[in-house]
Amino acid sequence: MKPLVVFYSRTGTTKKVGEALADLIQCDSEELIDTKKRTGPLGFLRSGRDAARNKLTVLGPLIHDPALYDVVALGTPVWSGLMSSPMRTYITNNKSKFNGVAFFCTQGGNENRKLFDDMQALCGRSPVSVLALRASLVKNEEYNERLRQFAGALQTQSDANAATTSEDR
Ligand SMILES: Cc1cc2nc3c(=O)[nH]c(=O)nc-3n(C[C@H](O)[C@H](O)[C@H](O)COP(=O)(O)O)c2cc1C
C-alpha cells in the first residue's frame, strides 16, 4: 500500500507542500479540518497559545483510515516551536493505527528540533524521514529537490513493508 499524506494548514503553506508530495508519489492525502476558528489576529493568538499548552481541538470527519497504509507522512506548520493543535489531535486519536511515520513541517524561521522530537514522542515511533521547509522557500518554489528526496524515503519504506508482507504470506 502506498503512503498516506496527512496535513494541517492554516494559511496554505503546508497544504502546498502536502499536495505536491501526494502528487509526486501519486498517493492519497487527507487535509485536517479544524472546527475551531483560527483566522484573524485572535485566531493567531489562540493558535500559538493552544500549541504551547499542548491543547487538543475537534477535527472534522476524516476520509482515510491510516491503518491501511504502510507509512503516514504527517505535515504541520510550526506553532510556538511545536506542532499545531490539529496535528496533535490527529496523532493522539490515530497513533495506534500507524504502521510507519514520516514528518514534515513548514515554518517562518529555522528552528524545529523540538517539533520533530515532540512528534516522535507522541507517535511512539521514529520517523523514516523528516523534512523542514521555511515558508519563504515554499513561496519561491525552491523546495522541489528536497521534496523529491523526502518522497523517495517514503516510497523506499513503503516498498520494504510491501516486500515483508508478501514474504510473510
Ligand atoms: C500561531 C503561530 C505560531 C507560529 N510559531 C512559529 C515558530 O515558533 N517558529 C517558526 O519558525 N514559525 C512559526 N510560525 C510561522 C508558521 O510556522 C509558518 O508561517 C508556516 O509556514 C505556516 O504554515 P501554513 O500556511 O500551512 O499554516 C507560527 C505561525 C503561527 C500562526
Side-chain angles (χ1 to χ4, degrees):
M1 193 61 172
K2 285 191 169 191
L4 172 67
V5 178
V6 177
F7 60 86
Y8 170 74
S9 186
R10 178 176 163 270
T11 50
T13 313
T14 316
K15 177 174 178 153
K16 186 171 167 183
V17 177
E19 288 182 341
L21 179 62
D23 257 13
L24 208 55
I25 309 177
Q26 289 287 294
C27 71
D28 293 334
S29 65
E30 174 100 53
E31 178 172 8
L32 303 180
I33 305 299
D34 193 354
T35 56
K36 202 166 184 177
K37 188 171 181 284
R38 302 271 176 206
T39 51
L42 275 182
F44 179 94
L45 290 175
R46 190 184 296 127
S47 299
R49 197 187 52 212
D50 286 356
R53 293 179 183 171
N54 295 348
K55 262 186 106 170
L56 301 183
T57 182
V58 177
L59 299 176
L62 301 173
I63 301 166
H64 300 289
D65 177 0
L68 301 178
Y69 298 83
D70 291 318
V71 57
V72 182
L74 301 160
T76 179
V78 178
W79 284 358
S80 305
L82 296 165
M83 75 187 93
S84 61
S85 300
M87 182 49 70
R88 182 176 294 282
T89 305
Y90 180 78
I91 295 175
T92 302
N93 295 347
N94 293 281
K95 61 185 170 184
S96 64
K97 300 180 190 166
F98 296 161
N99 295 308
V101 292
F103 307 144
F104 65 99
C105 72
T106 70
Q107 58 196 51
N110 277 322
E111 171 58 37
N112 58 57
R113 171 165 285 279
K114 216 166 146 193
L115 166 83
F116 290 146
D117 286 351
D118 193 28
M119 290 176 84
Q120 177 170 333
L122 187 58
C123 289
R125 54 170 74 228
S126 304
V128 297
S129 191
V130 298
L131 174 68
L133 294 169
R134 288 187 68 151
S136 55
L137 282 187
V138 179
K139 192 172 174 208
N140 298 331
E141 307 284 345
E142 291 167 6
Y143 65 104
N144 290 343
E145 187 45 43
R146 292 185 59 203
L147 190 67
R148 252 193 296 277
Q149 284 173 12
F150 184 65
L154 292 188
Q155 279 178 307
T156 303
Q157 178 66 26
S158 197
D159 293 348
N161 284 7
T164 312
T165 310
S166 71
E167 275 168 21
D168 290 348
R169 279 196 197 114

